[in-house]
Amino acid sequence: MTARTPGQDPASAPSAVDRDRLAEVTAAVVDGSVHTPGTSARTTVFDAVRADQDGPVTQALISLTDKHCPAVRRTALTLLGELTFGSRTPWQGPIDAAAARLHDPDPDARRAAAQLLVRAGGADRARTALDELTDPVTRIALANALLHTPDTHCPPGPLRADPLPEVRLLACIEELATAPGERWPALDAQAEAEVAALTAADTDRIRPTGLRWGDALFRQDRERHCYAIATRLLTGTAGAYGQRVGVDLARRAFQGWRAAPGALTPHLVRLLPTAPPDLRDRVVDTLCASRTATRLTADDLAALLPAGNTAADTAWKIACALAVIDDPRAAPYVHARMASGDPPAGAVAAVRGLLRSGTLDRRQLVPRLRELLRSDDSGVVHTAASITGDLGPAAAACVPELIEALRAECAARDALGSEWATWRELCLVTSLGRIGPPAAAALPLLEGLTRDSRRRAGHRALALSQITGDRRHIESYLRSRPPKRRYVPDHSALFQWLLDHGGLDPDQSRQLRSYVLERAGATQVYGALALWRHEGPPAAGELLALLPQYLDGDLFGPVAMDTLAAMGEHARPALPRLRELIDRTTRIPLCNGSEDAEMDGDERLLEAASRAVATITAPAAP
């Protein structure tokens, strides 16, 4: 779909290609697949609207907002709302379509229409509709959109007196985010009163009320107030719905402040024995989202595993959280889920936790991995290959399946004409290498991959040396590397292997220094430990000039801290920076895609920093 050129008749008949694209878009809206990221129809929609905002694709979507099927109307309205992202001027066609659907018989269609109306730039019409309409679903959705979309000129104050408690609650929370301190007590009291008046809230469909409330309190840095409000709600002062809000508020506190798990887990745990199943699952989800909270409540969580009334998904969530903190009580449940043939999310992290705790039954797991490696699902194969690599030589029985999986992955890539290794391919090669000599049957395949990209060639060279014990594979690969390249992959594992098998020659030593000291990023961080192992204290000054800049990122931070720990007392100049990181009261902002992921990254950084400080400050051995 291309933009109309000047002078082109807008009413002219679309080309056959355009008709095919419109048919593809219409079909994807009808079956809902247009919501799936990466699909061709979704790409077509965004590309076409970007090229011609009011062109045939937009008109087709607008016409679908008036179809007889509620699901189609909802999908079209939602998609138009997504297409408004970044728009700076009113988009009249979608505004009119949204206004027409505010009376839709389907409640979800009305909600989507209200969101689209505001996002497309129809805030004035939305405010008028909010004053005139009486339908609670539509009014709540309009208020939500107006209060949480920038530049709608909708102050929250007047809405605190709205007839609907949901609207009053939304306005109260929104005002809390910016109100001066002298108004906090009144706003807190009203918010709690509005929650107590509800048994559920339509606003939870977009973002749970407790998380919204926590956002406002975090923005004002009201840590102690947040704990006090959450505690009152959890004890039931605002009724059953208030307890649910309290759980979500506690979760947002976990995400914002490091002390929150210690302050609020006792109140959350008290709900577990008597809470109804849905609330109990919500409490479990909150506790398991935080490593700190999981450690504090490990006994209570483990007690739920044998319970017959614990749902399978909840039991897995508990088992995975316990395994990640190396709790051996998770072992039977992790083994059971791995035997199911469809490893759930978190399986790799759970198995690695069992490996650290020493409770993994390799003899029981390896046959399951062989079955998973034969799966037609590439995601399942990747999960199994990742775990297989962690088992090392103990996974020797998996070699035939790894070979077949690697052969199939290479054939699929070659069929597409790509010279770049896929991430699944790299994982399979790495797993074979980690198995070592028992993977000798893979040597012909690895040696026969002659059309490799250089990126895969490094993984292959390492795997060949790990399997054969012969340095020449890595040495030949490193000699083939030009001294200056724009893209330099991480070769730290190659240098580490050479250090373990005879050390580095002068050329390799110079190459390692170049990788570490001249190039920022992964090569620098991952190669720092190899440089320390090779040169020792003489390299301390150069490493201390580089590593502290990586400490506050969860991708490189733990790796840099492990290197500082390995440097021992020579890393003492980095202690102030490490202690500064440890002494933070709020989570480090990491932009990991979700608030829970950021919390997990911060907790891993905190654990790594604490280990590093303990090692660096430990008394020297006599």
Side-chain angles (χ1 to χ4, degrees):
M1 189 73 64
T2 57
R4 291 193 295 267
T5 56
Q8 182 179 349
D9 180 11
S12 61
S15 68
V17 173
D18 289 343
R19 288 196 298 270
D20 289 343
R21 288 180 175 175
L22 288 173
E24 178 190 15
V25 169
T26 300
V29 172
V30 170
D31 64 21
S33 62
V34 75
H35 286 311
T36 304
T39 57
S40 61
R42 187 174 177 86
T43 301
T44 295
V45 168
F46 278 82
D47 288 347
V49 173
R50 189 181 300 115
D52 186 356
Q53 189 180 55
D54 295 310
V57 169
T58 297
Q59 297 307 314
L61 292 175
I62 290 174
S63 70
L64 290 171
T65 65
D66 195 28
K67 295 301 179 183
H68 67 280
C69 178
V72 173
R73 298 198 299 272
R74 291 195 301 267
T75 299
L77 289 164
T78 301
L79 184 57
L80 284 167
E82 293 171 346
L83 288 164
T84 63
F85 182 78
S87 178
R88 296 178 179 273
T89 57
W91 194 6
Q92 198 57 48
I95 288 174
D96 294 337
R101 303 319 307 171
L102 291 179
H103 300 279
D104 195 285
D106 179 62
D108 286 330
R110 298 199 296 276
R111 294 184 183 101
Q115 183 82 348
L116 171 60
L117 180 60
V118 177
R119 283 187 174 182
D124 290 342
R125 294 176 72 170
R127 288 194 296 271
T128 300
L130 181 61
D131 292 336
E132 295 176 351
L133 298 180
T134 58
D135 171 51
V137 168
T138 310
R139 294 192 72 254
I140 292 168
L142 286 168
N144 180 76
L146 286 167
L147 288 170
H148 296 98
T149 302
D151 304 323
T152 59
H153 306 292
C154 181
L159 294 181
R160 286 175 54 203
D162 192 89
L164 290 174
E166 291 92 342
V167 174
R168 296 197 300 268
L169 179 59
L170 277 174
C172 195
I173 290 174
E174 182 68 14
E175 192 165 353
L176 270 171
T178 56
E182 61 269 17
R183 295 174 58 194
W184 292 347
L187 290 168
D188 290 342
Q190 182 181 356
E192 291 187 52
E194 304 298 356
V195 167
L198 299 171
T199 57
D202 204 55
T203 55
D204 288 334
R205 292 174 174 270
I206 300 174
R207 181 165 173 79
T209 299
L211 298 183
R212 292 175 185 268
W213 202 343
D215 291 340
L217 296 172
F218 184 78
R219 182 173 174 180
Q220 294 274 39
D221 196 25
R222 298 180 60 194
E223 181 178 4
R224 298 302 168 189
H225 294 98
C226 183
Y227 299 167
I229 295 169
T231 299
R232 289 196 296 272
L233 294 174
L234 291 170
T235 56
T237 59
Y241 177 67
Q243 286 183 308
R244 174 178 166 176
V245 173
V247 174
D248 292 335
L249 181 55
R251 188 181 193 128
R252 185 63 186 91
F254 285 7
Q255 296 163 351
W257 292 289
R258 287 177 169 176
L264 295 175
T265 51
H267 305 287
L268 289 165
V269 165
R270 291 192 190 103
L271 295 176
L272 292 177
T274 59
D278 59 338
L279 181 61
R280 184 185 60 199
D281 289 349
R282 205 176 194 90
V283 172
V284 167
D285 195 42
T286 296
L287 294 173
C288 291
S290 163
R291 292 168 181 251
T292 307
T294 300
R295 286 193 176 90
L296 292 171
T297 60
D299 292 341
D300 301 280
L301 291 171
L304 294 174
L305 285 175
N309 59 347
T310 301
D313 289 345
T314 300
W316 168 249
K317 194 167 294 181
I318 294 171
C320 187
L322 291 173
V324 165
I325 63 168
D326 308 346
D327 193 314
R329 290 173 288 189
Y333 303 91
V334 173
H335 280 294
R337 287 303 296 265
M338 290 301 296
S340 68
D342 184 18
V348 175
V351 170
R352 287 172 179 169
L354 296 183
L355 280 171
R356 289 191 299 268
S357 68
T359 56
L360 184 73
D361 187 343
R362 291 171 170 80
R363 292 174 300 177
Q364 181 181 353
L365 184 60
V366 167
R368 306 304 181 192
L369 291 174
R370 297 187 69 179
E371 295 175 7
L372 296 176
L373 287 167
R374 292 192 288 267
S375 171
D376 294 330
D377 187 327
S378 60
V380 171
V381 172
H382 178 257
T383 296
S386 299
I387 296 172
T388 302
D390 291 330
L391 297 181
C398 298
V399 168
E401 286 76 20
L402 287 169
I403 291 173
E404 288 306 311
L406 178 58
R407 185 175 285 118
E409 189 65 31
C410 292
R413 176 187 52 77
D414 290 342
L416 295 174
S418 173
E419 295 183 358
W420 285 96
T422 66
W423 52 274
R424 291 182 295 272
E425 201 173 332
L426 298 179
C427 179
L428 290 162
V429 170
T430 299
S431 296
L432 287 166
R434 288 178 176 174
I435 291 173
L443 289 174
L445 175 60
L446 293 173
E447 292 171 343
L449 297 176
T450 57
R451 293 187 297 111
D452 290 333
S453 69
R454 291 189 179 275
R455 180 182 177 192
R456 186 173 61 223
H459 287 75
R460 187 192 63 188
L462 176 59
L464 288 171
S465 289
Q466 289 171 322
I467 294 170
T468 64
D470 191 340
R471 291 169 53 99
R472 65 183 175 86
H473 300 287
I474 293 177
E475 291 176 333
S476 175
Y477 170 75
L478 290 176
R479 283 196 300 270
S480 72
R481 303 298 293 168
K484 299 291 184 182
R485 288 177 60 87
R486 176 174 296 180
Y487 170 72
V488 179
D490 170 32
H491 292 323
S492 60
L494 281 70
F495 290 108
Q496 293 276 14
W497 193 92
L498 291 176
L499 287 169
D500 291 333
H501 296 79
L504 307 183
D505 64 27
D507 286 340
Q508 293 160 357
S509 178
R510 286 192 293 271
Q511 200 169 15
L512 174 59
R513 286 188 63 82
S514 173
Y515 281 146
V516 175
L517 302 178
E518 298 178 11
R519 300 177 182 274
T523 297
Q524 188 166 82
V525 180
Y526 289 101
L529 181 58
L531 184 63
W532 172 257
R533 288 185 59 197
H534 180 54
E535 297 189 7
E542 292 168 302
L543 292 177
L544 288 170
L546 299 174
L547 294 178
Q549 65 183 305
Y550 296 103
L551 298 184
D552 57 357
D554 65 326
L555 180 61
F556 296 147
V559 181
M561 292 173 193
D562 287 345
T563 300
L564 292 172
M567 293 169 63
E569 63 178 9
H570 298 284
R572 283 186 173 275
L575 285 174
R577 181 70 181 90
L578 288 167
R579 286 178 172 138
E580 177 187 352
L581 187 148
I582 292 171
D583 292 340
R584 284 181 61 103
T585 58
T586 57
R587 304 289 186 188
I588 296 174
L590 298 171
C591 301
N592 284 0
S594 76
E595 291 150 328
D596 282 342
E598 289 193 18
M599 173 173 60
D600 182 71
D602 176 80
E603 290 182 327
R604 288 189 290 108
L605 276 173
L606 182 58
E607 291 171 4
S610 300
R611 288 195 304 268
V613 169
T615 303
I616 293 168
T617 58

